[in-house]
Amino acid sequence: MSDNSTQKTPQRNITFDILRVGAILEVVGFWHLFDYVDPGQFHKIPLTNMFTLCALGILCFMSGYFISAHTHLDGVQSVLDFFKRRFLRIYPLYFLVLTAFLGLGFIPFDFYWKSVFLTNMILLAWVPTLWFMGLIFTFYFLTPFYLIRYST
């Protein structure tokens, strides 16, 4: 009797891994961290700004590509399962860090509430460091509209 609960890990594409690592290093390791050093603005020129926006685009596109390749939504229950899985994976830690930011005085109370209810992207309440999480949740909310009963 075989165990069908384990799945074979798909073969990784090294090109995608290199693109992902490069984009993450650009956004997190270069662009973002230089905002916290003094003098930290020497790198903000049009060329590096364009490069960083391309890296963010690569991250968003690749995330959408991988989610669409590995997600099959065919009804209300599968959509709810999709939301539950994504929400439980990210939101608890996001809430903890957001609360710590409020407690340390990094963000005002109104930004905190807008972010706790995941409306910060709509209401333009940019939380330092965590703004991308609002973008991710916005994309997760839109994903079922694109993937419900999706076929190539």
Side-chain angles (χ1 to χ4, degrees):
M1 181 182 227
S2 67
D3 182 13
N4 291 333
S5 64
T6 60
Q7 296 177 351
K8 183 180 176 188
T9 303
Q11 185 68 27
R12 295 192 65 96
N13 185 329
I14 191 72
T15 305
F16 287 141
D17 289 341
I18 291 170
L19 277 172
R20 190 180 320 169
V21 167
I24 289 170
L25 285 175
E26 165 61 23
V27 173
V28 177
F30 179 71
W31 191 263
H32 179 69
L33 289 183
F34 273 116
D35 287 341
Y36 294 98
V37 297
D38 188 45
Q41 305 302 316
F42 72 92
H43 67 292
K44 292 195 175 183
I45 60 173
L47 181 63
T48 58
N49 187 39
M50 182 191 67
F51 191 68
T52 301
L53 291 176
C54 287
L56 282 170
I58 287 170
L59 288 173
C60 291
F61 178 81
M62 288 180 66
S63 296
Y65 173 78
F66 288 126
I67 284 177
S68 68
H70 301 292
T71 304
H72 180 71
L73 303 175
D74 58 1
V76 175
Q77 189 58 47
S78 63
V79 170
L80 292 175
D81 290 342
F82 172 81
F83 284 140
K84 179 182 173 186
R85 196 170 45 251
R86 296 298 186 276
F87 187 83
L88 291 176
R89 180 183 296 168
I90 297 174
Y91 191 81
L93 187 57
Y94 172 70
F95 178 78
L96 183 68
V97 172
L98 199 59
T99 303
F101 275 26
L102 178 68
L104 294 170
F106 291 162
I107 58 172
F109 192 71
D110 62 326
F111 276 39
Y112 175 79
W113 280 112
K114 291 174 185 175
S115 300
V116 162
F117 293 110
L118 303 173
T119 58
N120 54 327
M121 294 303 289
I122 298 165
L123 300 175
L124 304 177
W126 309 113
V127 176
T129 304
L130 297 178
W131 67 269
F132 196 70
M133 298 306 297
L135 182 66
I136 289 171
F137 282 114
T138 302
F139 285 158
Y140 283 162
F141 174 74
L142 295 174
T143 296
F145 294 108
Y146 289 100
L147 294 183
I148 192 82
R149 292 183 172 78
Y150 169 79
S151 72
T152 56

